Amino acid sequence: MNIDFEKSGGLVPAIIQDATTKTVLMLGYMNKEALEKTIETRKVTFFSRSRQCLWTKGETSGNFLELVDIKSDCDNDTLLVKANPTGPTCHTGTDTCWGETNEKNPLLFLTYLQDFINRRHEEMPEGSYTTSLFKDGLNRMAQKVGEEALEAVIEACNGTNERLIYEGSDMIYHLIVLLTSKGLRIEDLARELQVRHDPNWHKH
């Protein structure tokens, strides 16, 4: 990155975003030394304009911002810092400096799970159940989706909500495995549903 620190007198704004939830957590300022320390320690460090010194977020509270990625904007005078917070970000105790709640949407786990299953498909580690499914072949993977779907239907009609969630989770997992074997992802289904949500969509 070639950051233009001189444009604003040696400091550039740094927008801090939760790397997982994408929620904007706070705005701070960095000089060249703060940026270098952030990259070196992997803990987000700012330049305090009031104290005129470097400060690492969390050095007193323990609520660090663990660095994931840094990008500069098109003018090279603003930073987007993606980080994982280890606690509330604001000094007032709230998740963000705007008083918003930074909640992790459980749906985001589906992308993580998809990426995990992709790695299983690429690496095929021994002793992995997912690996065994890939080795069993397409027909077996498709059969497992059908079996788990049937079990989910049975629980929906004659079981409990808890068991329905359990069997439904099994069904989704095996469906992701099947999709992966075909070079597809769970997001492909989400995109299809998004298209269908358009009032102008017509069934093929």
Side-chain angles (χ1 to χ4, degrees), residues 113 117 129-130 133-134 140-149 167-181:
L113 179 61
I117 291 174
Y129 174 67
T130 306
L133 288 172
F134 287 129
R140 178 56 179 159
M141 285 182 278
Q143 180 184 4
K144 284 296 295 181
V145 173
E147 290 174 358
E148 300 300 343
E167 298 298 347
S169 299
D170 278 350
M171 181 185 70
I172 290 176
Y173 159 76
H174 285 92
L175 178 58
I176 294 176
V177 171
L178 178 62
L179 289 169
T180 303
S181 73

Side-chain angles (χ1 to χ4, degrees), residues 51-71:
R51 291 178 289 166
Q52 290 293 296
C53 65
L54 297 184
W55 66 282
T56 299
K57 181 72 181 72
E59 59 190 2
T60 56
S61 66
N63 299 326
F64 293 99
L65 293 168
E66 304 289 348
L67 178 65
V68 174
D69 186 40
I70 300 180
K71 287 183 172 64

Side-chain angles (χ1 to χ4, degrees), residues 31 42 71-72 87 98 101 110 121 127 158 182 189 201:
N31 60 6
R42 310 302 294 178
K71 287 183 172 64
S72 62
W98 291 270
T101 300
L110 290 178
H121 192 224
N158 299 300
K182 302 287 286 185
L189 301 190
W201 177 82

Side-chain angles (χ1 to χ4, degrees), residues 22-135:
K22 311 306 180 187
T23 300
V24 176
L25 302 175
M26 65 172 291
L27 172 68
Y29 290 86
M30 291 186 181
N31 60 6
K32 187 173 184 293
E33 290 73 24
L35 177 60
E36 290 174 347
K37 186 175 181 181
T38 295
I39 294 172
E40 177 186 354
T41 64
R42 310 302 294 178
K43 296 186 186 301
V44 178
T45 298
F46 302 100
F47 181 81
S48 171
R49 293 172 298 169
S50 59
R51 291 178 289 166
Q52 290 293 296
C53 65
L54 297 184
W55 66 282
T56 299
K57 181 72 181 72
E59 59 190 2
T60 56
S61 66
N63 299 326
F64 293 99
L65 293 168
E66 304 289 348
L67 178 65
V68 174
D69 186 40
I70 300 180
K71 287 183 172 64
S72 62
D73 73 340
C74 55
D75 292 323
N76 292 318
D77 60 4
T78 301
L79 296 172
L80 175 63
V81 181
K82 297 181 181 181
N84 290 321
T86 58
T89 297
C90 186
H91 71 282
T92 63
T94 58
D95 289 346
T96 80
C97 287
W98 291 270
E100 296 177 327
T101 300
N102 183 28
E103 293 182 345
K104 290 179 173 58
N105 186 337
L107 287 175
L108 294 173
F109 179 75
L110 290 178
T111 293
Y112 172 86
L113 179 61
Q114 175 69 75
D115 291 339
F116 179 84
I117 291 174
N118 277 3
R119 289 195 298 273
R120 283 288 193 260
H121 192 224
E122 293 167 0
E123 300 166 3
M124 299 290 278
E126 292 297 329
S128 162
Y129 174 67
T130 306
T131 297
S132 70
L133 288 172
F134 287 129
K135 286 184 175 180

